Amino acid sequence: MKRLIITISLISLIFIGLSSSFFYKKDVNAEVNIEKGLKTVEIAQKLEDENVIINKYLFVILSFIKNQTLKSGLYEFKGKYSVIDVYEKIVKGEVKQKYFTIIPGEDLIDIANKLEKEGIVKKEEFLKYVFDEKNVRKYGLVGSSFEGYFPPESYAISEKETVETLIKKFLKVFEKRYLPYKQKVESKDYSAFYKKNISFYEAMIIASMIEKEAYYEGEKPIIAGVIFNRLKSNMRLQIDPTVIYALKLASSWDGKLNKSDMIIDSPFNTYKVKGLPPTPICSFTISSLEAVLNPTKSNYYYYVLSKDRKRHIFSEDYKTHLKNIKENLK
């Protein structure tokens, strides 16, 4: 009888200890990303590793008792939390809003890499979809890929995103902010700069090159003028970022542009092919598109990056251009 009383007392003490542990609140300041498919023990381990809970086994026991679905997502914990508080927050799916940001000048390959790195969608799945012309046509768009249609922006995303839901988010911003420029571009008289007017899609292509070339906003209209001057004179554009884009499409870009790269056989290589590349080469800002609408009228045909790499030096003739190259490569 005495032994039974001792056993019951010990069990009672353990139960009281566990109960108090479940309700004990500790100061927390952490973010925890709970990926889809994680087991309860793995979630508990993550929470303990990030010092959100005092003991992973308490969380596992509580999960076993309550037997509710733990929802994936990015969770923010700031303040005092008990194991029960943490458990209920995850069961309710009280996730922190997550954002995915496209930076000006990023192309579809850059975007795909970031999407995979941030655990949103698989890179290969995204690339397969966005470089399929049939999918582009499905949205009533022009071009062989979605390049140029995903504006630089921070997009609110959820854990349930698919390639198609992401594209709809990106295109919604494009339609709202960029598409209003279509009528402006196609109604503008470009005769002062070019032998013909241009389509909105051609304007997108030019805007993407300006985005990659300009080092500050004030240069954009000047670079636009240079591009139009070269097109009008039937000169090759010879824009380095188009070669880089060709290399990236061929999975040959190593981060450094070499002289040997300039001969790559690609419709995007503006050192070999006259006229515009077949699609934009990256995402671009509104100011780059506005530069296409308002190019600076000049006799400039050439430009080179300054020695301090903060601006471009423009010239009207090739001899001066060579001199500028020599002076700024020292």
Side-chain angles (χ1 to χ4, degrees):
M1 185 69 180
K2 188 177 180 182
R3 184 176 292 178
L4 179 61
I5 293 170
I6 293 171
T7 303
I8 292 170
S9 299
L10 285 172
I11 292 171
S12 299
L13 286 170
I14 292 168
F15 179 77
I16 293 167
L18 277 173
S19 298
S20 61
S21 297
F22 282 130
F23 288 99
Y24 171 75
K25 292 181 181 284
K26 63 173 292 189
D27 284 316
V28 183
N29 186 2
E31 283 188 1
V32 180
N33 187 32
I34 297 174
E35 297 93 349
K36 293 176 185 176
L38 284 186
K39 296 176 181 176
T40 300
V41 289
E42 294 172 320
I43 294 172
Q45 184 66 62
K46 264 200 160 192
L47 293 168
E48 184 181 87
D49 290 344
E50 296 295 331
N51 293 314
V52 175
I53 56 175
I54 56 173
N55 186 285
K56 63 184 176 183
Y57 297 111
L58 291 173
F59 188 88
V60 173
I61 292 167
L62 186 61
S63 298
F64 178 76
I65 294 168
K66 295 233 176 191
N67 193 28
Q68 293 173 289
T69 302
L70 299 171
K71 296 179 175 66
S72 60
L74 180 67
Y75 289 88
E76 182 179 52
F77 300 96
K78 282 188 177 180
K80 290 183 176 292
Y81 288 85
S82 67
V83 173
I84 292 176
D85 294 333
V86 172
Y87 176 82
E88 288 181 347
K89 186 179 178 77
I90 297 172
V91 165
K92 291 175 183 175
E94 295 174 351
V95 296
K96 180 185 178 184
Q97 184 65 68
K98 190 174 180 180
Y99 290 89
F100 176 75
T101 302
I102 296 175
I103 296 170
E106 286 187 329
D107 57 48
L108 291 175
I109 298 167
D110 298 326
I111 294 167
N113 286 328
K114 281 170 64 174
L115 285 169
E116 181 167 278
K117 187 177 179 182
E118 295 180 28
I120 302 167
V121 294
K122 293 291 184 184
K123 170 184 173 181
E124 292 307 319
E125 182 187 353
F126 182 80
L127 290 175
K128 184 179 178 182
Y129 193 98
V130 297
F131 279 104
D132 188 333
E133 190 170 348
K134 292 195 298 293
N135 295 327
V136 179
R137 296 283 179 268
K138 191 165 76 173
Y139 288 90
L141 302 175
V142 180
S144 59
S145 76
F146 284 92
E147 194 69 80
Y149 285 110
F150 301 160
E153 182 66 83
S154 288
Y155 298 87
I157 61 169
S158 72
E159 290 296 309
K160 297 178 181 178
E161 298 291 356
T162 65
V163 172
E164 290 202 55
T165 60
L166 284 168
I167 286 172
K168 285 175 183 175
K169 284 180 192 284
F170 300 158
L171 291 181
K172 190 174 181 181
V173 174
F174 180 83
E175 288 167 7
K176 183 179 179 181
R177 291 172 47 198
Y178 286 67
L179 211 51
Y181 283 87
K182 185 176 189 295
Q183 188 177 355
K184 294 179 184 179
V185 169
E186 296 185 349
S187 64
K188 183 177 174 64
D189 184 3
Y190 284 92
S191 58
F193 293 91
Y194 195 24
K195 57 190 176 185
K196 67 179 183 68
N197 284 348
I198 63 171
S199 69
F200 181 59
Y201 192 64
E202 288 171 322
M204 288 172 59
I205 294 171
I206 297 169
S208 71
M209 292 189 289
I210 292 169
E211 191 68 49
K212 295 297 279 188
E213 287 285 80
Y215 269 68
Y216 67 95
E217 292 294 312
E219 281 190 341
K220 289 183 175 182
I222 307 172
I223 291 173
V226 172
I227 290 172
F228 278 118
N229 285 345
R230 283 184 159 254
L231 288 171
K232 190 173 183 179
S233 299
N234 202 30
M235 295 171 65
R236 292 181 180 87
L237 293 179
Q238 297 185 322
I239 290 177
D240 289 359
T242 65
V243 181
I244 293 171
Y245 190 72
L247 292 167
K248 291 175 86 169
L249 290 177
S251 301
S252 302
W253 174 239
D254 62 3
K256 186 177 180 182
L257 191 61
N258 300 305
K259 194 173 181 180
S260 59
D261 294 325
M262 300 303 185
I263 60 171
I264 184 172
D265 187 16
S266 168
F268 287 93
N269 184 355
T270 56
Y271 277 83
K272 289 186 71 176
V273 181
K274 287 183 179 179
L276 297 174
T279 75
I281 59 170
C282 65
S283 65
F284 54 89
T285 53
I286 291 292
S287 62
S288 292
L289 190 54
E290 288 178 338
V292 181
L293 270 168
N294 302 288
T296 299
K297 191 171 183 181
S298 72
N299 292 319
Y300 292 142
Y301 284 86
Y302 306 92
Y303 55 87
V304 64
L305 191 60
S306 63
K307 195 184 297 184
D308 60 11
R309 303 186 67 81
K310 291 182 179 179
R311 63 190 178 92
H312 283 98
I313 298 168
F314 297 87
S315 53
E316 297 181 3
D317 59 81
Y318 190 59
K319 185 178 178 181
T320 305
H321 178 57
L322 290 176
K323 177 174 171 287
N324 290 337
I325 290 175
K326 188 176 179 180
E327 289 177 353
N328 286 277
L329 288 180
K330 289 179 182 178

